[in-house]
Amino acid sequence: MTGLNRRKIERLQNYIAGQWVDPAPTRYEEVYNPATEEVLAKVPFSGRADVDAAVQAAAEAFPAWSATPVVERARIMFRFQHLLFGHQDELARSITTENGKNINEASAEVLRGIEMVEFAAGMPTLMMGDALPNIARGIDGETIRLPLGVVGGIVPFNFPLMVPMWMYPVALTAGNTFVLKPSERAPLSSMRAMDLLREAGLPAGVINLVHGAHEVVNGLLEHPQVKAISFVGSEPVAEYIYKTAAANGKRVQALAGAKNHHLVLADADLRRAAKTIVSSAFGSAGERCMAASAVVVVAEVADRLMSLLLEEAAALKMGQGLEKGVDLGPVIRANHLERVHGRIEKGLAAGATLVRDGRQDARAFGQGYFLGPTIFDDCHPDMEIVREEIFAPVLSVMRVKDFEEGLDTIRMSRFGNGATIYTRSGYYAREFVLRAEAGMIGVNVGVPAPMGFFPFSGSKRSFFGDLHVNGKDGVEFYTRKKTITARWFAEGDMGIGSQKVFVK
Ligand code: NAD
């Protein structure tokens, strides 16, 4: 047993070859509950030797695991899914405790992870190849899919259980072995998942977990036995991962930061739009890569929308996520909160109007890294609060003349994760779907994060790579194709092979 059950020991261990083991001597950092500032555990900053041990374990497990029939691999996912449902409350509490989001959001996170396991359990069908007999006389063509080998996953703090599940269920069921590096700021929930995978019957070494930061990341990026890297995190790190992994000959997908624009047209149901925007912007304390962070509203309804946004934001209850009725938890760390305060000051200095200052709400809390819903009006695309990802409950509102100016405003962002339109017009909704520069589009939907059966398809500088996580892209990413051209001859046949038999 580990993770949450190891509180007394406090120092977290790595999971290598089916065992919880201490890392090589290293430094440790505190893992906090961001709502209470309580120290939950100490996380090791493992080094290259620990990465080597994990990759070695994964490489040794690969031959037997990849030779295990895909149907048997999928059955382990069915058992894992069952265990996840059985532990949904415990896992949700773990997420809330280490991340701060409220318990309903945490429970939904577990469910989104379960959906990925369910998707991966379809691998016998998903992994099928293509065949075309007699592609030339007597010759058959066939493409099969095979696993890559050892693959690595590097993840952020904001969905500590679900984001790793964008990766390892599909990777493992496709026959790969895996090394996971959790976020050093939220490492606990994924540790519990390792125990559940073992209970589900996953053999030792097939998945491994190494705690740490840069040193572990670089160890994975440079390790010759690691064939592919999946990354989710901030823009500069994603770019570094993409370039370094590619320079080391690895397949790579790197999902990055975001600034998600929500365009409100004059014909929208404004009450519904305001509710949806507030929930998207301030849910999970704005620490979602799909959070609404910039609103673009057509001027004729801007005042009305603004008063509805303020009304909805004022109704949110801030507090510890485990408490009943709490909507808005803390941000992840004190230094992050400090950076966010700095951004708010820059917004003011640039001339934006602070119509709701969440720093006031936070004064009621003696502890924890809290910031109430914060809303700026009169923003422009060139202001830092609009250009940069803040990753906190801070919303910037821009007023535009019409739909076209709204689209141009969105186009100015270097990010392209999500974008949403609020309208009753099928025509404008369709125009927006086709022309808005983002990979995931919402039509009257606040968090248009696709379910796991579709690819999570950020674009521009929100994504570095070709194949996205989830859906068929995920299967494609974690498999390599091999194409076979075959000719067979009947005994004593000196002709063109089996064609005579084939055409009978
Ligand atoms: P982060 O980039 O700080 O960390 C992500 C991972 O990279 C962590 O495991 C961390 O240890 C490692 N890391 C950090 N700095 C590094 C460095 N210099 N060298 C090597 N490794 C390094 O991200 P975060 O703060 O944990 O998460 C928030 C970010 O993740 C936001 O930008 C958010 O938009 C993004 N995110 C994106 C998506 C998406 O789908 N596009 C989803 C979730 C989160």
Side-chain angles (χ1 to χ4, degrees):
M1 300 294 274
T2 180
L4 300 179
N5 304 314
R6 276 189 169 263
R7 290 262 204 89
K8 272 186 225 121
I9 302 173
E10 277 222 321
R11 289 189 156 196
L12 303 179
Q13 293 178 302
N14 294 330
Y15 185 65
I16 296 178
Q19 304 290 327
W20 290 101
V21 294
D22 287 324
T26 184
R27 74 186 173 91
Y28 285 77
E29 237 177 46
E30 279 77 21
V31 180
Y32 296 97
N33 177 334
T36 62
E37 300 183 34
E38 175 201 356
V39 176
L40 300 171
K42 291 190 173 192
V43 63
F45 277 53
S46 309
R48 298 283 177 130
D50 305 300
V51 176
D52 281 347
V55 174
Q56 197 54 40
E60 280 167 18
F62 179 70
W65 178 244
S66 56
T68 302
V70 62
V71 177
E72 289 178 30
R73 298 196 300 251
R75 276 186 199 128
I76 293 177
M77 286 300 132
F78 283 117
R79 288 197 288 272
F80 184 44
Q81 182 253 25
H82 183 71
L83 287 167
L84 287 167
F85 271 122
H87 291 80
Q88 187 168 0
D89 291 345
E90 175 204 340
L91 288 164
R93 290 180 73 82
S94 163
I95 293 167
T96 295
T97 307
E98 66 177 338
N99 169 278
K101 66 181 71 174
N102 76 45
I103 191 74
N104 294 334
E105 292 168 334
S107 193
E109 172 174 348
V110 182
L111 197 57
R112 296 282 91 81
I114 289 173
E115 282 157 12
M116 284 316 301
V117 176
E118 292 167 342
F119 172 71
M123 198 56 71
T125 312
L126 292 167
M127 219 175 147
M128 274 181 188
D130 295 313
L132 189 57
N134 215 37
I135 196 156
R137 282 187 179 73
I139 292 185
D140 302 332
E142 184 185 15
T143 295
I144 59 173
R145 284 179 187 282
L146 298 167
L148 306 175
V150 180
V151 299
I154 301 156
V155 296
F157 76 83
N158 67 327
F159 283 92
L161 187 83
M162 179 195 76
V163 166
M165 286 192 191
W166 286 355
M167 303 172 183
Y168 65 74
V170 172
L172 297 179
T173 320
N176 302 281
T177 55
F178 203 92
V179 179
L180 174 66
K181 196 214 73 74
S183 166
E184 65 279 23
R185 290 184 284 178
L188 298 171
S189 307
S190 274
M191 294 179 71
R192 195 69 187 101
M194 298 299 109
D195 288 335
L196 298 181
L197 280 164
R198 181 163 55 189
E199 204 178 325
L202 195 73
V206 171
I207 193 160
N208 305 272
L209 177 154
V210 183
H211 292 292
H214 315 54
E215 196 55 21
V216 177
V217 170
N218 287 329
L220 287 171
L221 294 178
E222 289 164 18
H223 204 295
Q225 277 176 288
V226 174
K227 303 295 179 216
I229 294 284
S230 299
F231 171 85
V232 178
S234 58
E235 178 201 15
V237 184
E239 185 172 24
Y240 167 76
I241 300 275
Y242 178 67
K243 288 179 175 164
T244 315
N248 282 282
K250 300 185 196 321
R251 192 177 284 199
V252 54
Q253 49 182 193
L255 284 70
K259 195 85 197 179
N260 304 302
H261 288 63
H262 285 214
L263 174 58
V264 183
L265 298 190
D267 70 345
D269 178 333
L270 292 182
R271 167 66 71 183
R272 280 215 179 99
K275 259 189 194 310
T276 308
I277 290 167
V278 161
S279 155
S280 172
F282 305 127
S284 297
E287 291 176 329
R288 282 193 292 218
C289 68
M290 292 294 282
S293 40
V295 167
V296 183
V297 56
V298 169
E300 63 182 285
V301 291
D303 287 341
R304 173 85 185 118
L305 182 74
M306 187 55 77
S307 68
L308 288 169
L309 288 175
L310 289 170
E311 196 183 303
E312 293 292 336
L316 295 179
K317 186 178 170 202
M318 193 158 71
Q320 288 191 36
L322 292 179
E323 279 170 18
K324 230 179 150 75
V326 162
D327 301 295
L328 179 56
V331 298
I332 191 72
R333 286 289 178 272
N335 58 3
H336 179 49
L337 185 59
E338 224 169 274
R339 265 196 305 275
V340 175
H341 285 175
R343 298 264 197 212
I344 294 172
E345 287 304 324
K346 285 196 174 152
L348 283 167
T353 313
L354 187 55
V355 288
R356 192 174 199 291
D357 186 353
R359 294 174 297 186
Q360 310 288 355
D361 310 303
R363 297 223 165 94
F365 291 81
Q367 58 194 9
Y369 317 125
F370 288 98
L371 175 68
T374 299
I375 305 178
F376 277 108
D377 198 357
D378 305 316
C379 299
H380 297 287
D382 53 355
M383 288 178 179
E384 186 179 304
I385 48 167
V386 175
R387 283 196 329 263
E388 301 302 327
E389 180 179 48
I390 301 178
F391 221 55
V394 179
L395 183 64
S396 304
V397 178
M398 290 170 280
R399 297 170 179 233
V400 292
K401 189 168 77 248
D402 56 15
F403 174 79
E404 290 300 332
E405 194 186 330
L407 262 193
D408 287 345
T409 304
I410 296 174
R411 207 169 284 137
M412 287 169 78
S413 175
R414 69 180 190 281
F415 295 112
N417 220 35
T420 282
I421 187 168
Y422 299 89
T423 182
R424 288 187 170 99
S425 157
Y427 171 77
Y428 281 118
R430 183 170 181 276
E431 284 292 294
F432 190 80
V433 165
L434 295 175
R435 293 168 58 200
E437 289 189 350
M440 292 170 280
I441 301 292
V443 178
N444 300 312
V445 168
V447 182
M451 284 181 75
F453 317 97
F454 292 95
F456 201 93
S457 15
S459 61
K460 295 167 87 177
R461 287 184 66 82
S462 292
F463 179 70
F464 298 84
D466 299 296
L467 293 166
H468 295 85
V469 293
N470 297 349
K472 289 180 199 154
D473 266 28
V475 179
E476 190 79 32
F477 183 79
Y478 289 122
T479 52
R480 69 192 156 91
K481 290 190 279 277
K482 192 177 262 189
T483 299
I484 304 112
T485 304
R487 172 152 58 190
W488 293 96
F489 299 96
E491 200 74 27
D493 180 359
M494 302 301 285
I496 55 166
S498 64
Q499 194 234 7
K500 277 181 258 165
V501 178
F502 180 81
V503 295
K504 265 183 192 163

